[in-house]
Amino acid sequence: MNKLSNYVPNFGFKGWGIAILAICFYYFYLGGVFDAGLNTLVGVYNELYGWSITQIMFFVSLGGWLAVLGIGIFGALCKKKGAKFVSIIGLFLVAVSFLIVAFSKSLPMFAFGLVMNFVCATSYGVVGVGQFGANWFPRTKGMYMGIATMGVTLASATINLVIHALIPRIGVSGFMIACAVTCVVIAGLVALVKNYPEEAGAFPDNDKSVSRAELDVAAQAAAEYKKNSPWNPKKVLATPETWKVAIGWGIPMLASTGVMGQLVPLLITYGHDPMFGIILLSSMWPCGVLGNYLAGVLDQRFGTKAASVLVVFLEALAALLMIAFGRNAVVVAIATGLFMFAISGCSNISMSMTTTVFGRNDFENAWPAISIISKIIMSSGVVIIALIAEKSSYQTSFIAIIGIVIIAFIIMLCTKNKCITNGEPS
């Protein structure tokens, strides 16, 4: 195998096409229109129709919870039809959801479009992006995810600026129509790619040291294996490693998202002005991009497990800094940057660890189950941190975060760092 760079992705022309599509997937999944964009949109809809923040956020939460159904449905469809098919179908359904929202004049219709968006976006934002990564980059999946998840950070950093620029000119309905058109365009681009690099005349991980004949033999063997793989949903869920990956790599995201979702009220309790938290959220996004990239580099250089341990250590350090120096603006800014780094890093390594443990050929069997479990855990973050703060204090919630990180660390150490299936390992 050729020596792949640990610092600069060596994806090849066609591989970079997959990676760029993955950035687009994440832009319209996490951190996008109905995530960070709600900071602007809730005010727009309140002014237009009088819908309250509480009403809108209720349906946002509902969409987040029901998204697990989408992961299950699209995961099963992906196993039958492949990542390309499921991503295209999902993008068209998300385009329809944007159109429903665009022409909604009543809260129930708006809510239907919103929830549909959350559910259908899992097709490409969870199932498709992960499966493309496992298919095209089985050994460099950490670097791939480091690039792909930059879409989350870019969305968080730019979506409100885009909304502010477009809505005064074309209105909120026009903006939603523009989002629908963009999703259709992305679907058209997905139609040009292949599920596997072998189908596109490329090489997995762009590793050209393998001959085309050897690659064809390996592809045929993989296809035969998949027809009779013993790793059905029952076996996946009965395997301890499934739960270790889902929980061990899911609870750090619970902690990080729980904090970042309540950063402004949290900082108020430490005596900071509300605008301070808003400024931090708007200006610290480069830490997220750095987290995306460095987590991929560390994954490639030292392995997924080592990268994971470092990411959760930084998360614990951020919580400790908040506990000890929460009234110091400079230290709080550093801690916020570390949390953003951790969120970005964690979003990389869950998929990467799944590929490590279940291999390229059984990834499609394990990823939906792990994603559903992780999604439920992650979606509980805001509620859990809020409950702890309400019953005690935000300082106590940071102590809880350190406890959560220690639990994650122990689970990570107990997780096998090798492929446990009979399929092609990562």
Side-chain angles (χ1 to χ4, degrees), residues 298-345:
L298 293 170
D299 187 320
Q300 186 66 27
R301 182 71 177 84
F302 301 106
T304 309
K305 206 168 178 178
S308 304
V309 169
L310 178 61
V311 167
V312 297
F313 169 77
L314 293 177
E315 188 171 355
L317 177 61
L320 187 62
L321 289 174
M322 285 288 195
I323 293 170
F325 306 103
R327 296 186 180 278
N328 186 302
V330 174
V331 177
V332 165
I334 293 172
T336 302
L338 288 175
F339 273 120
M340 287 191 171
F341 185 100
I343 290 175
S344 299

Side-chain angles (χ1 to χ4, degrees), residues 57-100:
M57 288 304 181
F58 169 78
F59 292 110
V60 169
S61 298
L62 181 62
W65 283 103
L66 291 179
V68 299
L69 298 176
I71 296 172
I73 294 169
F74 290 114
L77 186 60
C78 181
K79 186 174 180 179
K80 291 183 178 295
K81 296 289 188 177
K84 175 178 174 177
F85 179 86
V86 81
S87 297
I88 292 173
I89 291 296
L91 283 160
F92 273 108
L93 290 173
V94 166
V96 171
S97 75
F98 276 124
L99 293 177
I100 292 172

Side-chain angles (χ1 to χ4, degrees), residues 2-17:
N2 62 320
K3 185 177 179 181
L4 300 173
S5 171
N6 293 319
Y7 303 99
V8 180
N10 181 27
F11 295 155
F13 177 77
K14 294 177 181 177
W16 267 108

Side-chain angles (χ1 to χ4, degrees), residues 282-307:
S282 302
S283 61
M284 298 299 287
W285 62 268
C287 296
V289 173
L290 189 64
N292 295 135
Y293 173 73
L294 286 183
V297 170
L298 293 170
D299 187 320
Q300 186 66 27
R301 182 71 177 84
F302 301 106
T304 309
K305 206 168 178 178

Side-chain angles (χ1 to χ4, degrees), residues 129-147:
V129 74
Q131 192 63 56
F132 272 125
N135 292 349
W136 279 75
F137 312 104
R139 292 177 175 82
T140 54
K141 73 279 187 188
M143 187 66 80
Y144 160 76
M145 287 302 292
I147 298 298

Side-chain angles (χ1 to χ4, degrees), residues 118-193:
F118 273 88
V119 173
C120 295
T122 60
S123 61
Y124 56 84
V126 176
V127 177
V129 74
Q131 192 63 56
F132 272 125
N135 292 349
W136 279 75
F137 312 104
R139 292 177 175 82
T140 54
K141 73 279 187 188
M143 187 66 80
Y144 160 76
M145 287 302 292
I147 298 298
T149 50
M150 286 183 181
V152 182
T153 309
L154 291 173
S156 299
T158 63
I159 192 65
N160 285 290
L161 296 174
V162 173
I163 293 171
H164 278 292
L166 292 182
I167 287 182
R169 292 174 171 80
I170 61 178
V172 68
S173 294
F175 171 73
M176 294 299 171
I177 293 171
C179 290
V181 171
T182 304
C183 286
V184 172
V185 171
I186 296 172
L189 295 175
V190 176
L192 301 176
V193 305

